Amino acid sequence: MKLSKFINLYGCQIGDETKIGAFVEIQKNARVGRRCKISSHTFVCEGVTIEDNVFVGHGVTFINDSYPRATTSEGDLQTEADWKVEATVVKRGASIGSGATILSNVTIGENSIVGAGSVVTRDVPPNVIVAGNPATVLRSITNETRIA
């Protein structure tokens, strides 16, 4: 594992040979697999699972709550007891471009590519390229079109 300075890791699992850039936060109960690269200024919140061989670009943000609120219906500040973590999964070999936002309750399929700046609001199939807001499929990745 290669860790940069100025990172915040607590209660998470990080696989062997993974590189984590500066100013990254990975929260408790998040998992990052083996041989991943998590680029600088990325936020990986609780409930995110990143499988092996995944690339995450600079400034990527993961979300774990579909309906965030500061207070309860009674007006008290929320605590962990007031909400439920929603899961996100990034499958093996996927790549997420810089500045992307990944909402909760989605799966990014194996070997797929999320374009820079995209907002992923629903599941991404395996072996496709998605981009935009909301992210939509641009094309499939085949063995003939796969970049080495």
Side-chain angles (χ1 to χ4, degrees), residues 2-20:
K2 183 175 179 186
L3 304 176
S4 294
K5 293 181 180 179
F6 309 112
I7 60 174
N8 193 12
L9 307 176
Y10 54 96
C12 57
Q13 296 176 348
I14 309 291
D16 295 337
E17 301 177 62
T18 287
K19 294 168 69 173
I20 299 176

Side-chain angles (χ1 to χ4, degrees), residues 1-3 7 9 11-20 26-27 30-38 44 48-54 92:
M1 186 172 11
K2 183 175 179 186
L3 304 176
I7 60 174
L9 307 176
C12 57
Q13 296 176 348
I14 309 291
D16 295 337
E17 301 177 62
T18 287
K19 294 168 69 173
I20 299 176
I26 303 177
Q27 293 185 328
R31 294 189 306 261
V32 177
R34 298 185 59 194
R35 294 176 309 281
C36 293
K37 181 178 180 189
I38 311 297
V44 181
V48 173
T49 298
I50 297 173
E51 295 184 351
D52 297 342
N53 307 327
V54 169
R92 180 182 181 88

Side-chain angles (χ1 to χ4, degrees), residues 96-111:
I96 301 173
S98 294
T101 300
I102 314 301
L103 299 186
S104 58
N105 294 317
V106 300
T107 297
I108 297 175
E110 281 192 19
N111 302 312

Side-chain angles (χ1 to χ4, degrees), residues 69-83:
R69 297 286 183 255
T71 60
T72 65
S73 57
E74 294 81 29
D76 298 320
L77 281 176
Q78 280 193 353
T79 67
E80 285 188 31
D82 296 311
W83 63 282

Side-chain angles (χ1 to χ4, degrees), residues 9 15 37 40 43 66 74 80 85 106 113 115 124 127 141 145:
L9 307 176
K37 181 178 180 189
S40 69
F43 176 71
S66 296
E74 294 81 29
E80 285 188 31
V85 172
V106 300
I113 298 173
V124 173
N127 301 303
I141 301 170
T145 61

